Amino acid sequence: MARALNAAAQLARTPNDDPAHASACRAAAAAWRTMSLVHTHSPERQTLALLLTRAETGSTDPRELARWARLLRKTTPLPNLLSPRPEDNQLTDAGAALSADWSRPCRGGPLNRYHVRLPSALRPGSHLLLLSARVAVGCALAGWASMALGVGRPYWAVVAAASIFQSNLAPTWRRALNRVFGNVVGLALFAALLPITRTGSLDLVLAVLFFQVATEATISRGYWLGQICIVQMSLLMPQFAHVQSAGELLTDRALDTLTGCALGLLVAIAIADRRAVERAESALAAVDASHAAAAWLMAQPSAPDLADLVHARCRLASALAELHEAAEVASGEWRQRAPPQERIAAAEHESRQMLTLLATSLSAGQRR
């Protein structure tokens, strides 16, 4: 939620004619997607929806949004902004209804990125099929390479390779760097703590418990930070069976991490997603068609039927979710032509406004 507020602040402070406005719109679109992670009826969801809606309408100081984001990272509750201004009443209703569009059932399933039909995932050219191929080949090569090097724990290399694969090459590269850096710092910390962890069983138990809690506290702050603590548990847990050579543990972990990350990156480069931009353009066309159908429905002189409003909202929300995911994948692939970022950002922004109108009309129709 703090990231969502930062995205809203970025959008609010970026003028429409600024070259960075497209990326700000994409950040705001990602913020709307986070709504699906918050309980539907929680006050926090309504407040965040209101803040994002205010940011898009330019009615909130971006410095305030950034300040709330900083406070939220310190576990401070969101401000109570559900009814401080008269003009917020409509924004609150529309924003809450709009955020619910990402999780309401639509044509048999919820609208979130984890709801994927199996036939669609397995058809030729599917991004998930390609990602599965990357993971399978990368993990197999990492395991074989680790055994060829004579490392005693080749599963560490397999885990390292599997953990770095993301939706496209750009975040995969960042994840690999974070994992290597976190492991290097973690290995140095393990070597420094050896005199303490080797003093007795109680100290070993307390160290594992401490790093277990530290992992839970730090993993959400940064992947590399969590890796520092995870390395300690990975190297300390085998000590419960018998005391093992510290040099062997350090060497195995370092070699497996480097082997897994290096081969994972090579596989991600070799198995390129050649249809990423094509899928993004197809999703953009679907959003344009859904938006045009919804605009035609709203332009009718008579009040639209509730069933037609629900169908238009579901169709547009589904198309917008697919566009966001397709654009996210296409924007970070290697040696691909750039997707139409400005058109995508404009389509996302206009579609969210249309979803607000549909949600408002639907709420008004249900009250009649």
Side-chain angles (χ1 to χ4, degrees):
M1 293 178 74
R3 291 180 181 177
L5 287 181
N6 278 326
Q10 180 186 2
L11 180 64
R13 69 167 65 97
T14 308
N16 291 343
D17 56 352
D18 193 297
H21 185 71
S23 60
C25 287
R26 286 185 53 76
W32 282 114
R33 291 295 301 278
T34 63
M35 292 295 182
S36 61
L37 304 178
V38 185
H39 191 273
T40 304
H41 302 294
S42 67
E44 291 83 2
R45 180 178 203 159
Q46 298 181 34
T47 301
L48 186 56
L50 173 60
L51 291 173
L52 292 175
T53 308
R54 278 189 183 179
E56 291 196 328
T57 57
S59 59
T60 300
D61 188 344
R63 291 174 296 183
E64 281 295 297
L65 295 172
R67 183 178 68 84
W68 287 327
R70 290 193 298 270
L71 292 176
L72 189 60
R73 290 187 184 276
K74 300 177 182 179
T75 67
T76 302
L78 281 170
N80 182 14
L81 294 176
L82 294 184
S83 57
R85 311 184 203 163
E87 62 269 23
D88 281 341
N89 293 332
Q90 183 178 1
L91 287 178
T92 303
D93 294 339
L98 174 58
S99 65
D101 279 326
W102 296 107
S103 60
R104 284 180 181 172
C106 191
R107 292 185 181 178
L111 293 176
N112 57 61
R113 67 186 305 169
Y114 306 105
H115 180 75
V116 181
R117 291 185 177 89
L118 186 59
S120 300
L122 297 180
R123 71 175 183 268
S126 166
H127 173 66
L128 290 180
L129 187 62
L130 181 138
L131 186 59
S132 300
R134 283 178 173 175
V135 173
V137 175
C139 290
L141 290 178
W144 288 334
S146 179
M147 289 188 291
L149 292 173
V151 180
R153 296 169 177 80
Y155 60 88
W156 278 347
V158 175
V159 171
S163 65
I164 68 169
F165 288 110
Q166 302 296 303
S167 59
N168 53 52
L169 184 59
T172 298
W173 170 255
R174 290 193 295 269
R175 176 61 67 91
L177 290 180
N178 275 268
R179 188 173 183 89
V180 170
F181 180 75
N183 273 264
V184 169
V185 177
L187 291 175
L189 180 61
F190 175 78
L193 295 178
L194 270 178
I196 299 176
T197 58
R198 293 290 176 89
T199 56
S201 300
L202 179 60
D203 294 325
L204 183 60
V205 171
L206 292 177
V208 170
L209 290 175
F210 171 80
F211 285 112
Q212 174 66 49
V213 175
T215 300
E216 298 295 332
T218 58
I219 193 67
S220 62
R221 302 285 180 174
Y223 182 75
W224 68 270
L225 195 58
Q227 279 297 307
I228 296 175
C229 301
I230 291 174
V231 167
Q232 310 310 312
M233 292 191 296
S234 299
L235 301 182
L236 289 174
M237 294 295 286
Q239 309 295 323
F240 285 110
H242 59 87
V243 177
Q244 302 185 29
S245 168
E248 180 181 346
L249 286 172
L250 291 170
T251 303
D252 286 354
R253 184 71 181 191
L255 285 176
D256 281 340
T257 298
L258 293 175
T259 300
C261 291
L263 288 176
L265 282 174
L266 288 176
V267 169
I269 293 173
I271 306 179
D273 191 350
R274 303 297 182 186
R275 300 185 59 185
V277 177
E278 179 183 336
R279 287 196 300 271
E281 291 175 342
S282 298
L284 178 60
V287 167
D288 289 340
S290 301
H291 184 276
W296 178 86
L297 181 65
M298 296 297 295
Q300 298 304 304
S302 59
D305 185 72
L306 290 182
D308 292 335
L309 286 173
V310 170
H311 175 73
R313 188 204 69 198
C314 286
R315 179 184 175 187
L316 182 56
S318 298
L320 189 57
E322 292 177 4
L323 173 61
H324 174 83
E325 190 152 352
E328 184 180 19
V329 171
S331 62
E333 276 300 331
W334 181 60
R335 297 182 65 179
Q336 299 289 313
R337 60 187 175 89
Q341 295 286 8
E342 293 186 1
R343 287 176 54 204
I344 290 173
E348 288 178 334
H349 184 66
E350 292 171 0
S351 296
R352 287 194 304 275
Q353 291 180 329
M354 180 57 67
L355 282 174
T356 303
L357 294 175
L358 290 170
T360 305
S361 298
L362 186 59
S363 300
Q366 290 173 340
R367 287 194 294 266
R368 285 198 296 266

